[in-house]
Amino acid sequence: MSWSALVHLWTHRRLPLIAFLLAVLATGFFAVRLAVATIYWSDPAHLQQQPDRWMTPGYIARSWEIDPKDVATALGLDAKVQPHGQTLNDIAAAQGVPVETLITDLRLFLDATLP
């Protein structure tokens, strides 16, 4: 596409051109995000990781390939309300229990889910 064609589109079809460029950017963003997630979760080192205080229930559920609601239930949380962004450390503090106790209980639950 030549420079004059872009100038013509900008002059006569500005709104569709902007919409197209935004669509291309969004597509690129989600394609990169998909590629990064695929590479990350394809690494066996990220599967069935032992829980640690920095992990979120969603991360643990993804790592162990189980339903996030089951992880929430095991942590004593309401399965309908997902604690987005809360780490195990945050959840333990909110429940008033030591994080080690929460992690130990979660490990027992995860070990029971293994086939």
Side-chain angles (χ1 to χ4, degrees):
M1 181 173 258
S2 68
W3 181 252
S4 62
L6 284 176
V7 170
H8 175 76
L9 285 174
W10 183 255
T11 305
H12 294 80
R13 302 281 189 257
R14 185 173 297 173
L15 190 57
L17 179 63
I18 291 171
F20 175 74
L21 292 175
L22 288 175
V24 168
L25 285 174
T27 301
F29 171 77
F30 287 111
V32 168
R33 190 172 168 200
L34 174 66
V36 168
T38 301
I39 291 168
Y40 183 84
W41 290 109
S42 294
D43 183 358
H46 295 125
L47 299 178
Q48 295 186 347
Q49 286 184 311
Q50 290 301 312
D52 200 358
R53 61 180 59 234
W54 62 266
M55 295 180 179
T56 63
Y59 183 92
I60 294 166
R62 185 75 180 259
S63 178
W64 284 78
E65 298 176 335
I66 57 177
D67 189 359
K69 292 177 184 175
D70 294 338
V71 175
T73 303
L75 292 171
L77 302 171
D78 184 7
K80 295 178 184 174
V81 180
Q82 293 297 315
H84 294 289
Q86 286 187 331
T87 64
L88 294 181
N89 204 32
D90 299 334
I91 294 168
Q95 292 178 352
V97 297
V99 70
E100 291 78 18
T101 303
L102 190 72
I103 289 173
T104 301
D105 293 343
L106 185 58
R107 283 183 179 149
L108 292 172
F109 166 75
L110 293 172
D111 289 341
T113 63
L114 289 175

